[in-house]
Amino acid sequence: APRWRGLGVGKALLAYAEREASARGAVCMSLMTAVTNHRARDVFHAAGYLTLGSAAAVYRRSIAGVMMLKPLGEPPSTKTAH
């Protein structure tokens, strides 16, 4: 709803979902939003989500979707023990 825009509600909910997912063992979060939803895409990019690609006509009026992904927590170490 327009009256809630800009108050950080979406950002707070996203951060909460990420913390919960991480606490339950998830290593990444993925989502899809409409290619035309620039405000949401800006929030997701600012939160560290990367654009993976798009899917044609997944929303009403044949609007494409944008798939996004964010790794959670520390990435696994690539160092080997000596």
Side-chain angles (χ1 to χ4, degrees):
R3 74 180 201 180
W4 296 105
R5 287 188 184 142
L7 299 177
V9 175
K11 186 195 292 189
L13 288 170
L14 186 61
Y16 176 78
E18 291 170 1
R19 284 192 308 273
E20 284 296 309
S22 185
R24 295 169 190 242
V27 295
C28 68
M29 292 278 288
S30 62
L31 59 87
M32 183 178 288
T33 190
V35 70
T36 56
N37 192 345
H38 300 288
R39 186 180 299 254
R41 290 174 63 188
D42 289 346
V43 168
F44 299 138
H45 278 291
Y49 284 77
L50 305 171
T51 300
L52 295 178
S54 61
V58 294
Y59 292 96
R60 66 177 187 253
R61 295 189 303 264
S62 299
I63 295 174
V66 175
M67 297 172 286
M68 303 179 84
L69 178 97
K70 178 182 180 178
L72 298 175
E74 294 296 318
S77 175
T78 58
K79 295 180 183 178
T80 57
H82 296 282

Coordinates of all heavy atoms in Angstrom, one line a residue:
A1 N 0.8 -1.2 0.0 CA 0.0 0.0 0.0 C 0.9 1.2 0.0 O 1.9 1.3 0.7 CB -0.9 0.0 1.2
P2 N 0.5 2.2 -0.7 CA 1.3 3.5 -0.9 C 1.7 4.1 0.5 O 2.8 4.6 0.6 CB 0.5 4.4 -1.7 CG -0.4 3.5 -2.5 CD -0.6 2.3 -1.6
R3 N 0.8 4.0 1.5 CA 1.1 4.7 2.7 C 2.3 4.1 3.5 O 2.8 4.7 4.4 CB -0.1 4.8 3.6 CG -0.5 3.6 4.2 CD -1.8 3.7 5.1 NE -1.9 2.7 6.0 CZ -2.8 2.5 6.9 NH1 -3.8 3.4 6.9 NH2 -2.8 1.5 7.7
W4 N 2.6 2.8 3.2 CA 3.7 2.1 3.9 C 5.0 2.2 3.1 O 6.0 1.8 3.6 CB 3.3 0.6 4.0 CG 2.1 0.5 4.9 CD1 0.8 0.2 4.5 CD2 2.1 0.6 6.4 NE1 0.0 0.1 5.6 CE2 0.7 0.4 6.8 CE3 3.0 1.0 7.3 CZ2 0.3 0.5 8.1 CZ3 2.6 1.0 8.6 CH2 1.3 0.8 9.0
R5 N 5.0 2.8 1.9 CA 6.2 2.9 1.1 C 7.2 3.8 1.8 O 6.8 4.9 2.3 CB 5.9 3.3 -0.3 CG 5.2 2.2 -1.1 CD 5.1 2.6 -2.5 NE 4.3 1.6 -3.2 CZ 3.5 1.8 -4.2 NH1 3.2 3.0 -4.6 NH2 2.8 0.8 -4.7
G6 N 8.5 3.4 1.7 CA 9.5 4.3 2.2 C 9.8 4.3 3.7 O 10.6 5.0 4.2
L7 N 9.0 3.4 4.4 CA 9.2 3.3 5.8 C 10.1 2.2 6.3 O 10.4 2.0 7.5 CB 7.8 3.1 6.5 CG 6.8 4.3 6.3 CD1 5.5 3.9 6.9 CD2 7.4 5.6 6.8
G8 N 10.6 1.4 5.3 CA 11.5 0.3 5.7 C 10.9 -1.0 6.1 O 11.5 -1.9 6.5
V9 N 9.5 -1.1 5.9 CA 8.8 -2.3 6.3 C 9.3 -3.5 5.4 O 9.6 -4.5 5.9 CB 7.3 -2.1 6.2 CG1 6.5 -3.3 6.4 CG2 6.8 -1.0 7.1
G10 N 9.3 -3.3 4.1 CA 9.8 -4.3 3.2 C 11.2 -4.8 3.5 O 11.5 -6.0 3.6
K11 N 12.1 -3.8 3.8 CA 13.5 -4.1 4.1 C 13.5 -4.9 5.4 O 14.3 -5.9 5.5 CB 14.3 -2.8 4.2 CG 15.7 -3.1 4.4 CD 16.5 -1.9 4.8 CE 16.7 -0.7 4.0 NZ 17.6 0.3 4.4
A12 N 12.8 -4.6 6.4 CA 12.8 -5.3 7.7 C 12.2 -6.7 7.5 O 12.8 -7.6 8.1 CB 12.0 -4.5 8.7
L13 N 11.2 -6.8 6.7 CA 10.6 -8.2 6.5 C 11.6 -9.1 5.8 O 11.7 -10.2 6.1 CB 9.3 -8.1 5.8 CG 8.1 -7.5 6.6 CD1 6.9 -7.2 5.6 CD2 7.7 -8.5 7.7
L14 N 12.2 -8.5 4.8 CA 13.2 -9.3 4.0 C 14.4 -9.7 4.9 O 14.8 -10.9 4.9 CB 13.7 -8.4 2.9 CG 14.7 -9.1 1.9 CD1 14.0 -10.3 1.2 CD2 15.1 -8.1 0.8
A15 N 14.9 -8.8 5.7 CA 16.0 -9.2 6.7 C 15.5 -10.2 7.7 O 16.3 -11.2 8.0 CB 16.4 -7.9 7.4
Y16 N 14.3 -10.1 8.2 CA 13.8 -11.1 9.1 C 13.7 -12.5 8.4 O 14.1 -13.5 8.9 CB 12.4 -10.7 9.6 CG 11.8 -11.8 10.5 CD1 12.2 -11.9 11.8 CD2 10.8 -12.6 10.0 CE1 11.6 -12.9 12.6 CE2 10.3 -13.6 10.8 CZ 10.7 -13.7 12.1 OH 10.1 -14.7 12.9
A17 N 13.2 -12.5 7.2 CA 13.1 -13.8 6.4 C 14.5 -14.4 6.2 O 14.7 -15.6 6.3 CB 12.4 -13.6 5.1
E18 N 15.4 -13.6 5.9 CA 16.8 -14.1 5.7 C 17.4 -14.6 6.9 O 18.0 -15.7 6.9 CB 17.7 -12.9 5.1 CG 17.3 -12.5 3.7 CD 18.0 -11.2 3.3 OE1 18.8 -10.7 4.1 OE2 17.8 -10.8 2.2
R19 N 17.2 -14.0 8.1 CA 17.7 -14.5 9.3 C 17.1 -15.8 9.7 O 17.8 -16.7 10.1 CB 17.5 -13.5 10.5 CG 18.4 -12.3 10.5 CD 18.3 -11.5 11.7 NE 17.0 -11.1 12.1 CZ 16.4 -10.0 11.7 NH1 17.0 -9.1 10.8 NH2 15.1 -9.7 12.1
E20 N 15.8 -15.9 9.5 CA 15.1 -17.1 9.8 C 15.5 -18.3 8.9 O 15.7 -19.4 9.4 CB 13.5 -16.9 9.7 CG 12.9 -16.2 10.8 CD 13.0 -17.0 12.1 OE1 12.7 -18.2 12.2 OE2 13.5 -16.4 13.1
A21 N 15.7 -18.0 7.6 CA 16.1 -19.0 6.7 C 17.5 -19.5 7.0 O 17.8 -20.7 7.0 CB 16.1 -18.5 5.3
S22 N 18.4 -18.6 7.4 CA 19.8 -18.9 7.7 C 19.8 -19.7 9.0 O 20.5 -20.7 9.1 CB 20.6 -17.6 7.9 OG 21.9 -18.0 8.1
A23 N 19.0 -19.4 10.0 CA 18.9 -20.1 11.3 C 18.4 -21.5 11.1 O 18.7 -22.4 11.8 CB 18.0 -19.4 12.3
R24 N 17.6 -21.7 10.0 CA 17.1 -23.1 9.7 C 17.9 -23.8 8.7 O 17.5 -24.9 8.2 CB 15.7 -22.9 9.2 CG 14.7 -22.3 10.3 CD 13.4 -22.0 9.7 NE 12.6 -21.2 10.6 CZ 11.5 -21.6 11.2 NH1 11.0 -22.8 10.8 NH2 10.8 -20.9 12.0
G25 N 19.1 -23.3 8.4 CA 20.1 -24.0 7.6 C 20.1 -23.7 6.1 O 20.8 -24.3 5.4
A26 N 19.3 -22.7 5.7 CA 19.3 -22.3 4.3 C 20.7 -21.6 4.0 O 21.2 -20.9 4.8 CB 18.2 -21.4 4.0
V27 N 21.2 -21.9 2.8 CA 22.4 -21.3 2.3 C 22.2 -20.1 1.4 O 23.1 -19.4 1.0 CB 23.4 -22.3 1.7 CG1 23.8 -23.3 2.8 CG2 22.8 -23.0 0.5
C28 N 21.0 -20.0 0.9 CA 20.7 -18.9 0.0 C 19.2 -18.6 0.0 O 18.4 -19.4 0.4 CB 21.2 -19.1 -1.5 SG 20.3 -20.5 -2.3
M29 N 18.8 -17.4 -0.5 CA 17.4 -17.0 -0.7 C 17.2 -16.7 -2.2 O 18.1 -16.1 -2.8 CB 17.1 -15.8 0.1 CG 17.1 -15.9 1.6 SD 15.6 -16.6 2.3 CE 14.5 -15.3 2.1
S30 N 16.1 -17.2 -2.7 CA 15.8 -16.8 -4.1 C 14.4 -16.2 -4.1 O 13.6 -16.5 -3.2 CB 15.9 -18.0 -5.0 OG 14.9 -19.0 -4.6
L31 N 14.1 -15.4 -5.1 CA 12.8 -14.8 -5.3 C 12.6 -14.4 -6.7 O 13.5 -14.5 -7.5 CB 12.7 -13.5 -4.4 CG 13.7 -12.4 -4.6 CD1 13.3 -11.5 -5.7 CD2 14.0 -11.7 -3.3
M32 N 11.4 -14.1 -7.0 CA 11.0 -13.6 -8.3 C 10.1 -12.4 -8.1 O 9.2 -12.4 -7.3 CB 10.3 -14.6 -9.2 CG 10.0 -14.1 -10.6 SD 9.2 -15.4 -11.6 CE 10.6 -16.5 -11.9
T33 N 10.3 -11.3 -8.9 CA 9.5 -10.2 -8.9 C 9.2 -9.7 -10.4 O 10.0 -10.1 -11.3 CB 10.1 -9.0 -8.1 OG1 9.1 -8.0 -7.9 CG2 11.3 -8.5 -8.7
A34 N 8.2 -8.9 -10.6 CA 7.9 -8.5 -11.9 C 9.0 -7.6 -12.4 O 9.6 -6.7 -11.7 CB 6.6 -7.7 -11.9
V35 N 9.4 -7.7 -13.7 CA 10.4 -6.9 -14.3 C 10.1 -5.4 -14.2 O 11.0 -4.6 -14.2 CB 10.7 -7.4 -15.8 CG1 9.5 -7.0 -16.7 CG2 12.0 -6.8 -16.3
T36 N 8.8 -5.1 -14.1 CA 8.3 -3.7 -14.0 C 8.3 -3.2 -12.6 O 8.1 -2.0 -12.4 CB 6.9 -3.6 -14.6 OG1 6.1 -4.5 -14.0 CG2 6.9 -3.9 -16.1
N37 N 8.6 -4.0 -11.6 CA 8.5 -3.6 -10.2 C 9.9 -3.0 -9.8 O 10.7 -3.7 -9.1 CB 8.1 -4.7 -9.3 CG 7.8 -4.3 -7.9 OD1 8.1 -3.2 -7.5 ND2 7.1 -5.2 -7.2
H38 N 10.2 -1.9 -10.3 CA 11.5 -1.3 -10.1 C 11.8 -1.0 -8.6 O 13.0 -1.1 -8.2 CB 11.7 0.0 -10.9 CG 11.5 -0.3 -12.4 ND1 12.5 -1.0 -13.1 CD2 10.5 0.0 -13.3 CE1 12.1 -1.1 -14.4 NE2 10.9 -0.5 -14.5
R39 N 10.8 -0.6 -7.9 CA 11.0 -0.2 -6.5 C 11.5 -1.5 -5.7 O 12.4 -1.4 -4.9 CB 9.7 0.3 -5.9 CG 9.9 0.8 -4.4 CD 8.6 1.4 -3.9 NE 8.1 2.5 -4.7 CZ 8.2 3.8 -4.3 NH1 8.7 4.0 -3.1 NH2 7.8 4.7 -5.0
A40 N 10.8 -2.6 -5.9 CA 11.1 -3.9 -5.2 C 12.5 -4.3 -5.7 O 13.3 -4.7 -4.9 CB 10.1 -4.9 -5.5
R41 N 12.8 -4.2 -7.0 CA 14.1 -4.7 -7.5 C 15.2 -3.8 -6.9 O 16.3 -4.4 -6.5 CB 14.1 -4.6 -9.0 CG 13.2 -5.6 -9.7 CD 13.1 -5.5 -11.1 NE 14.4 -5.6 -11.8 CZ 14.6 -5.4 -13.1 NH1 13.7 -5.0 -13.8 NH2 15.8 -5.6 -13.6
D42 N 15.0 -2.5 -6.7 CA 16.0 -1.7 -6.0 C 16.2 -2.1 -4.6 O 17.4 -2.2 -4.1 CB 15.5 -0.2 -6.0 CG 15.6 0.4 -7.4 OD1 16.3 -0.2 -8.3 OD2 15.0 1.5 -7.6
V43 N 15.1 -2.5 -3.8 CA 15.3 -2.9 -2.5 C 16.1 -4.2 -2.4 O 17.0 -4.4 -1.6 CB 13.9 -3.1 -1.8 CG1 14.0 -3.9 -0.5 CG2 13.2 -1.8 -1.6
F44 N 15.7 -5.2 -3.3 CA 16.4 -6.5 -3.4 C 17.9 -6.3 -3.7 O 18.8 -6.9 -3.1 CB 15.7 -7.4 -4.3 CG 14.3 -7.7 -3.9 CD1 13.3 -7.8 -4.9 CD2 14.0 -8.0 -2.6 CE1 12.0 -8.1 -4.6 CE2 12.7 -8.3 -2.3 CZ 11.7 -8.3 -3.2
H45 N 18.2 -5.5 -4.7 CA 19.6 -5.2 -5.1 C 20.4 -4.6 -3.9 O 21.5 -5.0 -3.6 CB 19.7 -4.3 -6.3 CG 19.6 -5.0 -7.6 ND1 20.5 -5.9 -8.1 CD2 18.6 -5.0 -8.5 CE1 20.1 -6.4 -9.2 NE2 18.9 -5.9 -9.5
A46 N 19.8 -3.6 -3.2 CA 20.4 -3.0 -2.1 C 20.7 -4.0 -0.9 O 21.6 -3.8 -0.2 CB 19.6 -1.8 -1.6
A47 N 19.8 -5.0 -0.9 CA 20.0 -6.0 0.2 C 21.0 -7.1 -0.2 O 21.2 -8.1 0.5 CB 18.6 -6.7 0.5
G48 N 21.5 -7.0 -1.4 CA 22.6 -8.0 -1.8 C 22.1 -9.1 -2.8 O 22.8 -10.0 -3.1
Y49 N 20.9 -9.0 -3.3 CA 20.4 -10.0 -4.3 C 21.0 -9.7 -5.6 O 21.1 -8.6 -6.1 CB 18.9 -9.9 -4.3 CG 18.2 -10.6 -3.1 CD1 18.2 -9.9 -1.9 CD2 17.7 -11.9 -3.2 CE1 17.6 -10.5 -0.8 CE2 17.2 -12.5 -2.1 CZ 17.1 -11.8 -0.9 OH 16.6 -12.4 0.2
L50 N 21.3 -10.8 -6.3 CA 21.9 -10.7 -7.7 C 20.8 -11.2 -8.6 O 20.0 -12.1 -8.4 CB 23.1 -11.6 -7.8 CG 24.2 -11.4 -6.8 CD1 25.2 -12.5 -6.9 CD2 24.8 -10.0 -7.0
T51 N 20.7 -10.6 -9.8 CA 19.8 -11.0 -10.8 C 20.3 -12.2 -11.6 O 21.5 -12.2 -12.1 CB 19.5 -9.8 -11.8 OG1 19.0 -8.7 -11.1 CG2 18.6 -10.2 -12.9
L52 N 19.5 -13.2 -11.6 CA 19.9 -14.5 -12.3 C 19.4 -14.5 -13.7 O 20.1 -15.1 -14.6 CB 19.4 -15.7 -11.6 CG 19.9 -15.9 -10.2 CD1 19.3 -17.1 -9.5 CD2 21.4 -16.1 -10.2
G53 N 18.3 -14.0 -14.0 CA 17.7 -14.0 -15.3 C 16.2 -13.7 -15.3 O 15.7 -13.1 -14.3
S54 N 15.5 -13.9 -16.3 CA 14.1 -13.6 -16.4 C 13.3 -14.8 -16.9 O 13.8 -15.7 -17.5 CB 13.9 -12.4 -17.3 OG 14.3 -12.7 -18.6
A55 N 12.0 -14.7 -16.6 CA 11.1 -15.7 -17.1 C 9.9 -14.9 -17.8 O 9.4 -14.0 -17.2 CB 10.5 -16.5 -15.9
A56 N 9.6 -15.3 -19.0 CA 8.6 -14.6 -19.8 C 7.2 -14.9 -19.2 O 6.8 -15.9 -18.8 CB 8.7 -15.1 -21.2
A57 N 6.4 -13.8 -19.2 CA 5.0 -13.8 -19.0 C 4.5 -14.6 -17.8 O 3.6 -15.4 -17.9 CB 4.3 -14.3 -20.3
V58 N 5.1 -14.4 -16.6 CA 4.7 -15.1 -15.4 C 3.7 -14.3 -14.6 O 3.1 -14.9 -13.7 CB 5.9 -15.5 -14.5 CG1 6.8 -16.5 -15.2 CG2 6.7 -14.3 -14.1
Y59 N 3.6 -13.0 -14.9 CA 2.6 -12.2 -14.2 C 1.5 -11.8 -15.1 O 1.6 -12.0 -16.3 CB 3.3 -11.0 -13.6 CG 4.3 -11.3 -12.5 CD1 5.6 -11.5 -12.8 CD2 3.8 -11.5 -11.2 CE1 6.5 -11.8 -11.7 CE2 4.7 -11.8 -10.2 CZ 6.0 -12.0 -10.5 OH 6.9 -12.3 -9.5
R60 N 0.4 -11.3 -14.5 CA -0.8 -10.9 -15.3 C -0.3 -9.9 -16.4 O 0.7 -9.2 -16.3 CB -1.9 -10.4 -14.5 CG -1.5 -9.1 -13.8 CD -2.8 -8.5 -13.0 NE -2.5 -7.2 -12.5 CZ -2.2 -7.0 -11.2 NH1 -2.2 -7.9 -10.3 NH2 -1.9 -5.7 -10.9
R61 N -1.1 -9.8 -17.4 CA -0.8 -9.0 -18.6 C 0.5 -9.3 -19.2 O 1.2 -8.5 -19.8 CB -0.9 -7.5 -18.2 CG -2.3 -7.0 -17.8 CD -2.4 -5.5 -17.6 NE -1.4 -5.0 -16.7 CZ -1.7 -4.7 -15.4 NH1 -2.8 -5.0 -14.9 NH2 -0.7 -4.2 -14.7
S62 N 0.9 -10.6 -19.1 CA 2.1 -11.1 -19.8 C 3.4 -10.4 -19.4 O 4.3 -10.2 -20.2 CB 1.9 -11.1 -21.3 OG 0.9 -11.9 -21.7
I63 N 3.5 -9.9 -18.1 CA 4.7 -9.3 -17.6 C 5.7 -10.3 -17.2 O 5.4 -11.3 -16.6 CB 4.4 -8.3 -16.4 CG1 3.4 -7.2 -16.9 CG2 5.6 -7.8 -15.8 CD1 2.9 -6.3 -15.8
A64 N 6.9 -10.1 -17.6 CA 8.0 -11.0 -17.3 C 8.4 -10.9 -15.8 O 8.2 -9.9 -15.2 CB 9.2 -10.8 -18.2
G65 N 9.0 -12.0 -15.3 CA 9.5 -12.0 -14.0 C 11.0 -11.9 -14.0 O 11.7 -12.4 -14.9
V66 N 11.6 -11.4 -12.9 CA 13.1 -11.4 -12.7 C 13.4 -12.3 -11.6 O 12.9 -12.1 -10.5 CB 13.6 -9.9 -12.5 CG1 15.1 -9.9 -12.2 CG2 13.2 -9.0 -13.6
M67 N 14.3 -13.3 -11.8 CA 14.7 -14.2 -10.8 C 16.0 -13.6 -10.1 O 16.9 -13.2 -10.8 CB 15.1 -15.5 -11.4 CG 13.8 -16.2 -12.0 SD 14.2 -17.7 -12.9 CE 15.0 -17.0 -14.4
M68 N 16.0 -13.6 -8.8 CA 17.1 -13.1 -8.0 C 17.5 -14.0 -6.9 O 16.7 -14.8 -6.4 CB 16.7 -11.7 -7.4 CG 16.2 -10.7 -8.4 SD 15.7 -9.1 -7.7 CE 17.3 -8.3 -7.6
L69 N 18.8 -14.0 -6.5 CA 19.4 -14.9 -5.5 C 20.3 -14.1 -4.6 O 21.0 -13.2 -5.1 CB 20.1 -16.0 -6.3 CG 20.8 -17.0 -5.3 CD1 19.9 -18.2 -5.2 CD2 22.1 -17.4 -5.9
K70 N 20.4 -14.5 -3.3 CA 21.3 -14.0 -2.4 C 21.9 -15.1 -1.5 O 21.1 -15.8 -0.9 CB 20.6 -13.0 -1.5 CG 21.6 -12.4 -0.4 CD 20.9 -11.4 0.5 CE 21.9 -10.9 1.5 NZ 21.2 -9.9 2.4
P71 N 23.2 -15.3 -1.5 CA 23.8 -16.2 -0.6 C 23.6 -15.7 0.8 O 23.7 -14.5 1.1 CB 25.3 -16.2 -1.0 CG 25.4 -15.6 -2.3 CD 24.2 -14.6 -2.4
L72 N 23.4 -16.7 1.8 CA 23.2 -16.3 3.2 C 24.5 -16.7 4.0 O 25.1 -17.8 3.7 CB 22.0 -17.0 3.7 CG 20.7 -16.6 3.1 CD1 19.6 -17.5 3.7 CD2 20.4 -15.1 3.3
G73 N 24.8 -16.0 4.9 CA 25.9 -16.3 5.8 C 27.3 -16.3 5.1 O 27.4 -15.7 4.0
E74 N 28.2 -16.9 5.8 CA 29.6 -16.9 5.2 C 29.7 -18.0 4.2 O 29.2 -19.1 4.4 CB 30.6 -17.2 6.4 CG 30.7 -16.1 7.4 CD 31.2 -14.8 6.8 OE1 32.1 -14.8 6.1 OE2 30.6 -13.8 7.2
P75 N 30.4 -17.7 3.1 CA 30.6 -18.7 2.1 C 31.5 -19.8 2.6 O 32.3 -19.5 3.4 CB 31.2 -18.0 0.9 CG 31.8 -16.7 1.5 CD 31.0 -16.4 2.7
P76 N 31.3 -21.0 2.1 CA 32.2 -22.1 2.6 C 33.6 -21.8 2.2 O 33.9 -21.2 1.2 CB 31.7 -23.4 1.9 CG 30.6 -22.9 1.0 CD 30.3 -21.5 1.2
S77 N 34.5 -22.2 3.1 CA 36.0 -22.0 2.9 C 36.5 -22.9 1.7 O 36.1 -24.0 1.6 CB 36.8 -22.3 4.1 OG 38.1 -22.2 3.9
T78 N 37.3 -22.3 0.9 CA 37.9 -23.1 -0.2 C 39.3 -23.5 0.2 O 40.0 -24.1 -0.6 CB 37.9 -22.2 -1.5 OG1 38.7 -21.0 -1.3 CG2 36.5 -22.0 -2.0
K79 N 39.8 -23.1 1.4 CA 41.1 -23.5 1.8 C 41.1 -25.0 2.2 O 40.2 -25.5 2.8 CB 41.5 -22.6 3.0 CG 41.7 -21.2 2.7 CD 42.1 -20.4 3.9 CE 42.2 -18.9 3.5 NZ 42.5 -18.1 4.7
T80 N 42.2 -25.6 2.0 CA 42.4 -27.0 2.4 C 43.3 -27.1 3.7 O 44.2 -26.2 3.8 CB 43.0 -27.9 1.3 OG1 44.2 -27.3 0.9 CG2 42.1 -27.9 0.1
A81 N 43.0 -28.0 4.5 CA 43.8 -28.2 5.7 C 45.1 -28.8 5.4 O 45.2 -29.6 4.5 CB 43.0 -29.1 6.7
H82 N 46.2 -28.3 6.1 CA 47.5 -28.9 5.8 C 47.9 -29.8 7.0 O 47.7 -29.7 8.1 CB 48.6 -27.8 5.7 CG 48.3 -26.9 4.5 ND1 48.7 -27.3 3.2 CD2 47.8 -25.7 4.4 CE1 48.4 -26.3 2.4 NE2 47.8 -25.4 3.1

